[in-house]
Amino acid sequence: MTMTAMQSDARRVPAAKIEQAYRERTPASRALYDRALRTMPGGSTRAATYYAPYPAYMHHGAGCRLTDVDGNVYIDCLNNYTSLVHGHARPAIVAALADVAARGTVHGAPVEAEVALAEEIIRRVPSVEQLRFTNSGTEAVMGAIRAARAYTGRAKVLKMEGGYHGSYDAAEVSVDPGADPPMWPEGRPDGAGLSPGLTGEVLVAPFNDLSAVRSLVTRHRRDLAAVIAEPVMAAAGVIPATEAFLRGLRDLTREAGVLLILDEVVTFRLAFGGAQQHYRITPDLTTFGKLLGGGLPIGAFGGRATIMAAFDRRNPETIAHSGTFNGNMATMVVGRTALDLLTMEEIARMNALGDRLRRGIQDAADATGLAMTVTGLGSLRHLHPSRARIVDYRTAVAAASRPLSALLHLALLTQGVFIAPRGMVSVSTAMSEDDVDTVIAAFRTVATMIVEGA
Ligand code: PMP
């Protein structure tokens, strides 16, 4: 679709009507938001949960459904940004949480559950020989970068343009540099307040462009500790790597003596052994988070034992990696319960549901004449308001229409479907084909509203 056609779609969108319908359904959320504005900047404590005019405040979740404080019910296609792989309040997880709560959530000492969760991750992901737990994906990325720097004795890190790896300075470069980004390998720090030395330390490369990455790695190999990449760039628009890109990245980093960190915080759900199993590659280090905690905060990083030895405290010279809640029993028990429920069969079922969702939404968009491309892989998807081919950050930005995505999101809320404001959707094991079809039907209603300007 041409830019002009896309913009005219956006102009026809019945913005005021949709916002009015949203406001009428959500007065209690509005009241909570007004209250929150007094204690938190912008009324919010997490960038990803804010959207205009104000977010719906949730009251409870059960299975794949969320109920907000006004009693509106939504099918949850956000799943706390893909982390609730079993949806909400799954009975086995609730029971595990209740049981562990009665034994104390954290003891200031190691517990068996920590060993058991580590064993299960290592059983699933052969590239991970040893690992450490953290409380978030951000900290997992910090740990992996620290490990890579310690192991190689080099400082620089190369990341993909548009790649989001959490709220850590060395990862907050060119996450969303806009329509006029600097020329690679120069990056743009994402917002004020980051370390001024960042731009020299963090190099940026285009995703899915192997020859560009090869020339940057070759040129900077003497200073480069690691390349960090997601197998599917989630926040940039759920853009899968091509097999040639990811395998090529593995080969060229190995040849250059640079470590490859695969960020599987989001993509671990795609196969029993994570997306690295799907792509058949063996990274040096992997970062995890999200689903691993079964709904509680978690992160983990691990990989080759020789690299992870940098944290072996039997030797006092090593890195004193710590965290008050690292390996806390509540998260470890609940995480293991969630992982045990995430069988190969359930992963295959979820990926099939994701394919069904993609086909259904794409067909509904095409039938109604709404320009839309559904990207992604298996259970992870993104709705882009354009028919352009999306392969990296720049093609995603060129295809983007923030007003249209924002309206699509708000309109879907009024139809009882909860997705990420920027267009990401995921499915959970709590969903059935009927639930997916309900989402598709809601999308068709919204697409018609937008196209007809009704
Ligand atoms: N890596 C990736 C790929 C992510 O998407 C995120 C967060 N969405 C993180 C790291 C950071 O995880 P957390 O929010 O748990 O700090």
Side-chain angles (χ1 to χ4, degrees):
M1 183 182 220
T2 64
M3 276 310 282
T4 331
M6 198 172 74
Q7 279 156 359
S8 74
D9 257 358
R11 268 200 303 275
R12 283 209 309 270
V13 162
K17 256 190 186 169
I18 288 171
E19 188 174 321
Q20 184 58 25
Y22 176 74
R23 286 179 182 276
E24 279 167 13
R25 288 162 53 93
T26 55
S29 284
R30 172 64 200 255
L32 274 175
Y33 181 65
D34 286 345
R35 206 173 121 198
L37 280 172
R38 289 187 224 118
T39 49
M40 287 169 274
S44 169
T45 197
R46 182 180 177 195
T49 55
Y50 172 77
Y51 49 88
Y54 54 85
Y57 279 66
M58 294 303 164
H59 183 266
H60 64 272
C64 70
R65 284 180 171 72
L66 275 169
T67 302
D68 73 12
V69 288
D70 287 287
N72 300 302
V73 179
Y74 307 86
I75 296 190
D76 188 4
C77 295
L78 177 64
N79 293 303
N80 191 28
Y81 283 86
T82 78
S83 51
L84 299 173
V85 76
H86 300 304
H88 301 269
R90 182 155 169 158
I93 293 179
V94 173
L97 185 55
D99 178 64
V100 75
R103 289 187 286 142
T105 54
V106 62
H107 306 91
V111 289
E112 184 186 353
E114 175 188 353
V115 187
L117 183 58
E119 285 168 350
E120 181 57 17
I121 298 165
I122 285 168
R123 183 173 84 87
R124 291 181 182 225
V125 189
S127 73
V128 177
E129 295 168 352
Q130 299 248 287
L131 63 80
R132 306 271 297 190
F133 288 110
T134 64
N135 301 295
S136 65
T138 295
E139 291 167 67
V141 168
M142 287 168 62
I145 290 178
R146 179 90 185 258
R149 285 174 168 157
Y151 184 75
T152 59
R154 306 176 204 137
K156 289 185 183 171
V157 174
L158 184 132
K159 73 177 288 286
M160 302 300 134
E161 189 172 69
Y164 176 63
H165 302 284
S167 308
Y168 166 47
D169 279 25
E172 292 202 90
V173 177
S174 288
V175 175
D176 191 6
D180 182 27
M183 219 27 232
W184 310 301
E186 195 189 322
R188 180 173 294 152
D190 263 57
L194 295 168
S195 163
L198 267 189
T199 36
E201 236 171 50
V202 183
L203 309 177
V204 176
F207 193 63
N208 272 334
D209 184 342
L210 191 59
S211 62
V213 178
R214 178 178 289 116
S215 71
L216 290 177
V217 169
T218 308
R219 198 168 346 130
H220 296 276
R221 61 197 293 171
R222 278 202 194 85
D223 307 317
L224 203 53
V227 174
I228 182 165
E230 293 168 90
V232 178
M233 269 213 301
V238 192
I239 306 167
T242 63
E243 297 205 354
F245 178 72
L246 219 51
R247 298 225 192 103
L249 192 59
R250 172 64 289 188
D251 292 343
L252 78 90
T253 45
R254 188 181 285 121
E255 283 155 21
V258 171
L259 299 187
L260 177 62
I261 305 172
L262 215 55
D263 186 342
E264 294 238 40
V265 167
V266 172
T267 57
F268 182 50
R269 58 163 38 228
L270 289 173
F272 195 70
Q276 57 194 269
Q277 179 192 348
H278 170 83
Y279 282 94
R280 300 195 297 281
I281 68 158
T282 305
D284 300 296
L285 291 164
T286 303
T287 53
F288 304 91
K290 297 211 190 278
L291 79 84
L292 214 54
L296 298 185
I298 196 169
F301 64 100
R304 273 166 40 207
T306 45
I307 303 171
M308 293 302 290
F311 302 96
D312 182 343
R313 292 303 286 163
R314 289 172 299 185
N315 172 3
E317 303 296 309
T318 57
I319 300 166
H321 166 248
S322 206
T324 304
F325 289 94
N326 288 5
N328 72 82
M329 190 158 83
T331 303
M332 298 295 112
V333 166
V334 170
R336 178 66 200 251
T337 307
L339 213 47
D340 287 346
L341 292 168
L342 193 64
T343 59
M344 277 181 213
E345 293 71 29
E346 280 295 80
I347 292 170
R349 192 173 70 80
M350 257 199 318
N351 285 336
L353 288 176
D355 289 339
R356 185 184 186 93
L357 187 67
R358 181 197 64 76
R359 272 196 312 275
I361 288 185
Q362 191 67 65
D363 288 350
D366 294 346
T368 53
L370 183 70
M372 182 73 53
T373 303
V374 186
T375 58
L377 197 64
S379 65
L380 292 173
R381 299 288 167 183
H382 193 107
L383 316 182
H384 296 266
S386 159
R387 292 202 179 96
R389 197 165 153 260
I390 290 151
V391 295
D392 58 11
Y393 174 77
R394 293 184 190 196
T395 47
V397 167
S401 160
R402 284 186 192 208
L404 194 52
S405 290
L407 267 172
L408 183 67
H409 167 250
L410 217 54
L412 281 170
L413 285 175
T414 67
Q415 300 299 314
V417 173
F418 189 53
I419 70 168
R422 61 181 183 243
M424 183 163 67
V425 285
S426 66
V427 299
S428 68
T429 64
M431 285 181 180
S432 64
E433 290 189 349
D434 281 353
D435 297 318
V436 167
D437 292 346
T438 305
V439 173
I440 295 166
F443 176 83
R444 183 182 280 266
T445 304
V446 164
T448 307
M449 272 159 72
I450 291 175
V451 169
E452 294 179 355

